[in-house]
Amino acid sequence: MLEQEIIQIAPFESPQPNAMFIDIETDLRCERVWLIGLLIDDECIQLYADTWDEEKTILLQFLRMLQRYPTYDLVSYSGTNFDYRIPL
């Protein structure tokens, strides 16, 4: 941390072969979604809303992503189930 370096000890290997990693960012009240980050097969995807009017667009994009990968398991970066509690 002192040198602000990331040291990778070993390559990351998902315990699940078909994992879709998800990270959701919201406003402070957890009422509005402005970013949904996904990692699918080593591809980083960011669904970003510049305005609250675009929130519905990114939510629909996310639902389409889930439909494209029906056999994938959702894995959250959060250890508190926060990403699963957000009402989409």
Side-chain angles (χ1 to χ4, degrees):
M1 291 182 74
L2 294 175
E3 296 179 23
Q4 298 183 4
E5 290 184 49
I6 297 173
I7 299 171
Q8 184 174 349
I9 297 171
F12 174 75
E13 294 182 25
S14 174
Q16 298 163 304
N18 292 336
M20 180 185 300
F21 293 89
I22 179 175
D23 186 33
I24 297 174
E25 302 300 331
T26 67
D27 65 348
L28 293 176
R29 293 184 180 179
C30 297
E31 295 175 346
R32 309 291 298 266
V33 176
W34 60 272
L35 176 70
I36 302 172
L38 301 165
L39 181 63
I40 307 169
D41 297 331
D42 294 327
E43 179 183 2
C44 181
I45 300 165
Q46 292 183 339
L47 308 175
Y48 179 75
D50 284 314
T51 67
W52 292 131
D53 292 333
E54 295 176 0
E55 178 187 32
K56 183 177 179 179
T57 301
I58 67 168
L59 293 174
L60 291 172
Q61 289 174 332
F62 175 59
L63 292 175
R64 283 194 287 277
M65 294 297 291
L66 293 176
Q67 289 173 337
R68 282 193 356 211
Y69 298 92
T71 62
Y72 279 56
D73 294 317
L74 283 178
V75 179
S76 173
Y77 285 110
S78 169
T80 63
N81 289 326
F82 166 80
D83 295 320
Y84 298 117
R85 292 190 316 247
I86 297 301
L88 296 179

